[in-house]
Amino acid sequence: MITTARCQSPAFAVIPLQDAPQHFSQVASWHHQECERQGLKSTLVLRQQRLMLHMQTASIPTTLVALVNQQLVGCVSLVDYTYRTSQRMPKVNSPSPLWLSNLYVDEVHRRCGIGNQLIDAAKQYARLLNADELWLSASDFTDYYQKRGWSIERRTRLAGRPVNVMRVLL
């Protein structure tokens, strides 16, 4: 990992988005950008509507945000796609799978370990819910996840693009 002055911040925290509602608009914008990058149909209004569900007191869906000196620098979400009937997310064998979604770190703060810390926080949260595995779909960043213990369970298509369905045991 490259260590620079921007990476050495003593005031780092990962907290639920519902505890930092002032960052809602930026997180919704990042989610929208990611959907567009993946070729998924999205609007900012739709992302905001879906993200509102993450602000409720229910345990899933949830979004965690990374703050450096109280400045928003990244986010990650945990969702349960079992309630969807569309084929956008590949089916898995688990009766109630948790999916890691929307991992994003602001460009200025990349390569500082923030993505790893967001993933670790998501894993810890999932363990509190008695989950024994996490799933995700990745097209561009498969190597990133494989280096962190995720395995490719199968390949499929999402929005017409090839993706790897990946899993990690908790």
Side-chain angles (χ1 to χ4, degrees), residues 26-74:
Q26 182 60 60
V27 172
S29 177
W30 286 343
H31 283 200
H32 175 61
Q33 284 175 230
E34 182 61 15
C35 286
E36 284 188 326
R37 187 189 67 76
Q38 292 179 24
L40 299 171
K41 291 183 181 179
S42 178
T43 66
L44 183 55
V45 170
L46 177 62
R47 292 297 119 207
Q48 290 170 335
Q49 289 170 348
R50 291 201 176 152
L51 193 58
M52 283 301 296
L53 297 173
H54 298 228
M55 300 294 284
Q56 297 173 2
T57 58
S59 54
I60 296 295
T62 194
T63 293
L64 305 173
V65 294
L67 305 174
V68 172
N69 296 323
Q70 299 184 3
Q71 175 190 357
L72 180 67
V73 297

Side-chain angles (χ1 to χ4, degrees), residues 13 16 21 38 97 101 107 119 143 158 160 164-165 170:
Q38 292 179 24
S101 177
E107 267 187 61
I119 291 170
D143 291 345
L158 181 62
N164 295 309
V165 176
L170 300 177

Side-chain angles (χ1 to χ4, degrees), residues 75-88:
C75 63
V76 68
S77 297
L78 285 172
V79 295
D80 179 348
Y81 287 119
T82 58
Y83 298 108
R84 296 180 188 263
T85 57
S86 73
Q87 295 186 358
R88 292 186 314 166

Side-chain angles (χ1 to χ4, degrees), residues 2-15:
I2 300 169
T3 303
T4 65
R6 68 180 167 76
C7 294
Q8 298 172 356
S9 175
F12 176 81
V14 175
I15 63 172

Side-chain angles (χ1 to χ4, degrees), residues 12 14 64-66 74-78 99-105 113-127 133-136 138 141-150 166-170:
F12 176 81
V14 175
L64 305 173
V65 294
C75 63
V76 68
S77 297
L78 285 172
W99 291 78
L100 186 111
S101 177
N102 295 311
L103 176 64
Y104 182 86
V105 175
I114 293 170
N116 290 337
Q117 291 176 330
L118 282 163
I119 291 170
D120 288 346
K123 286 179 178 180
Q124 181 179 2
Y125 188 88
R127 283 187 203 102
E133 63 187 9
L134 277 178
W135 293 85
L136 63 80
F141 301 104
T142 299
D143 291 345
Y144 174 85
Y145 292 108
Q146 284 181 309
K147 290 176 185 176
R148 286 149 185 85
W150 296 75
M166 303 182 78
R167 177 176 69 135
V168 68
L169 298 176
L170 300 177

